């Protein structure tokens, strides 16, 4: 089957199957899986136009609501945290999309920076995991997984989860979300692959409580990104900027089932297992970016 905007031939069953497998695993850690679908589209399918970023964000729009609905139903959405993430990332993703279109049609040189940041976050997470071996409570099913917001304002927020209180700085997370939004706008990944491990590593927030917020933030910023890319397309007629709607929808169909099942199964996964999953994701993504940069600049 030919997808004209993407310029690729692929059997129509492949995108949803790949998206289901990727999003099922990654959604348990609060990630949509778009950051893994992007290299699949570029390296396997040969989709290298700037519009691949918009297509990737279209996948997020279609796939994420099923998982968000599941987190809401189970009382695991921390709404103030979600609001902070959305407000911070939206202007960032617009700026990132502008940078991608105007200055980085091939953002390879930016990958070394992103890769080093991801490696540092991953290093912090591994060190914390090794330092806390045997000290974390076992995961239990039931009402203990519901979160309760104690208070929130423009400076600080606090909520309880499984008998523990978690606090964080609202301005700090807002600024970090803005930076992540820029990176997500450039790469078309929504930013969840960076913001989720940042929450876990720097703010020590439980994975079970941040997954819904990061998915919702990724959804909202992806809507902004797709609308922006679609609106920019008429001004750059010589470039492929608008998403490939057919390919994005096929990926999204697989993602709907994958993210829903991942959100449903997450509470059966221990906290440490989810953190190690994030570490593996970070290491793989960072390694890919750094290796690609080194191979590109090597004489």
């Amino acid at each position: 089957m030919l997808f004209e905007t993407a310029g690729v031939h692929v059997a129509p069953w492949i995108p949803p199957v790949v998206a289901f497998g990727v999003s099922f695993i990654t959604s348990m850690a609060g990630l949509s899986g778009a950051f893994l679908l992007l290299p699949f589209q570029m390296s396997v399918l040969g989709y290298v136009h700037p519009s691949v970023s918009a297509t990737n964000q279209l996948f997020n729009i279609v796939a994420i609501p099923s998982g968000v609905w599941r987190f809401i139903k189970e009382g695991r959405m921390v709404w103030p945290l979600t609001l902070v993430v959305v407000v911070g990332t939206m202007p960032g993703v617009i700026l990132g999309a502008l940078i991608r279109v105007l200055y980085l049609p091939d953002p390879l040189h930016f990958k070394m920076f992103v890769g080093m940041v991801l490696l540092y976050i991953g290093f912090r997470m591994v060190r914390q995991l090794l330092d806390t071996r045997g000290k974390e409570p076992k995961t239990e099913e039931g009402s203990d997984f519901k979160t309760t917001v104690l208070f929130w304002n423009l400076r600080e927020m606090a909520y309880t989860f499984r008998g523990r209180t978690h606090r964080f700085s609202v301005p700090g997370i807002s600024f970090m979300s803005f930076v992540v939004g820029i990176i997500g706008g450039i790469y078309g990944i929504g930013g969840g692959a960076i913001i989720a491990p940042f929450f876990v590593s720097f703010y020590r927030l439980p994975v079970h409580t941040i997954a819904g917020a990061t998915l919702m933030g990724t959804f909202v910023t992806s809507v902004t990104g797709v609308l922006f890319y679609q609106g920019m397309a008429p001004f750059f007629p010589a470039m492929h900027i608008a998403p490939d709607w057919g390919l994005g929808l096929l990926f999204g169909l697989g993602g709907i089932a994958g993210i829903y099942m991942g959100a449903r199964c997450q509470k059966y996964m221990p906290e440490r297992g989810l953190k190690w999953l994030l570490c593996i994701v970070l290491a793989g993504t960072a390694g890919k970016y750094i290796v690609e940069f080194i191979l590109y600049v090597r004489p």
Side-chain angles (χ1 to χ4, degrees):
M1 183 175 181
L2 173 64
F3 296 90
E4 295 184 2
T5 300
V8 301
H9 289 269
V10 62
W13 60 268
I14 293 180
V17 169
V18 171
F20 174 83
V22 168
S23 60
F24 170 71
I25 296 173
T26 58
S27 60
M28 287 189 281
L31 316 177
S32 69
F35 68 100
L36 292 178
L37 291 180
L38 187 65
F40 174 81
Q41 292 180 76
M42 297 180 71
S43 301
V44 178
L45 300 184
Y47 186 3
V48 294
H49 301 306
S51 63
V52 68
S53 295
T55 302
N56 220 34
Q57 291 178 333
L58 177 60
F59 155 78
N60 286 332
I61 294 173
V62 178
I64 287 176
S66 63
V68 169
W69 178 82
R70 187 70 201 184
F71 283 121
I72 294 174
K73 182 179 179 181
E74 296 182 2
R76 288 189 283 147
M77 282 291 293
V78 185
W79 287 107
L81 176 61
T82 304
L83 178 62
V84 173
V85 172
V86 170
V87 171
T89 52
M90 281 188 66
V93 78
I94 295 175
L95 180 58
L98 272 174
I99 294 173
R100 173 69 191 269
V101 172
L102 298 177
Y103 305 109
L104 289 174
D106 181 10
L108 184 64
H109 288 82
F110 195 54
K111 288 188 175 182
M112 175 60 78
F113 169 74
V114 177
M116 295 303 294
V117 171
L118 293 179
L119 275 183
Y120 175 68
I121 297 174
F123 171 76
R124 284 181 57 99
M125 288 187 63
V126 170
R127 188 174 63 180
Q128 290 172 8
L129 284 167
L130 295 177
D131 290 343
T132 58
R133 281 179 295 182
K135 299 178 182 179
E136 295 186 5
K138 294 183 179 180
T139 300
E140 298 177 1
E141 181 183 358
S143 59
D144 287 345
F145 278 86
K146 293 184 178 180
T147 60
T148 302
V149 176
L150 299 178
F151 67 87
W152 71 288
N153 51 49
L154 295 179
R155 293 185 302 175
E156 189 180 26
M157 175 189 162
Y159 66 91
T160 60
F161 175 71
R162 296 171 64 186
R164 295 185 174 184
T165 299
H166 303 277
R167 299 171 180 264
F168 62 84
S169 165
V170 171
I173 283 188
S174 296
F175 177 75
M176 183 269 298
S177 299
F178 174 72
V179 175
V180 169
I182 295 176
I183 298 173
I186 292 173
Y187 287 105
I189 58 176
I194 302 175
I195 200 168
F198 194 96
F199 283 160
V200 174
S201 176
F202 286 83
Y203 288 93
R204 305 293 183 96
L205 301 180
V207 180
H208 292 94
T209 66
I210 59 98
T214 56
L215 283 175
M216 177 66 88
T218 301
F219 170 78
V220 174
T221 54
S222 294
V223 171
T224 305
V226 168
L227 292 177
F228 184 82
Y229 277 115
Q230 188 68 51
M232 288 284 289
F235 299 98
F236 297 88
M239 298 176 64
H240 295 277
I241 294 177
D244 188 308
W245 289 86
L247 187 59
L249 290 174
L250 282 179
F251 277 116
L253 288 176
I256 289 174
I259 292 181
Y260 177 84
M261 292 302 298
R264 183 182 181 90
C265 296
Q266 187 213 44
K267 62 185 179 182
Y268 302 109
M269 285 286 292
E271 180 82 6
R272 291 183 65 84
L274 295 175
K275 289 181 178 179
W276 279 113
L277 172 61
L278 280 175
C279 291
I280 294 172
V281 167
L282 284 177
T285 307
K288 179 180 182 299
Y289 285 168
I290 294 172
V291 168
E292 285 180 352
F293 176 82
I294 293 174
L295 292 178
Y296 178 82
V297 299
R298 188 177 60 183

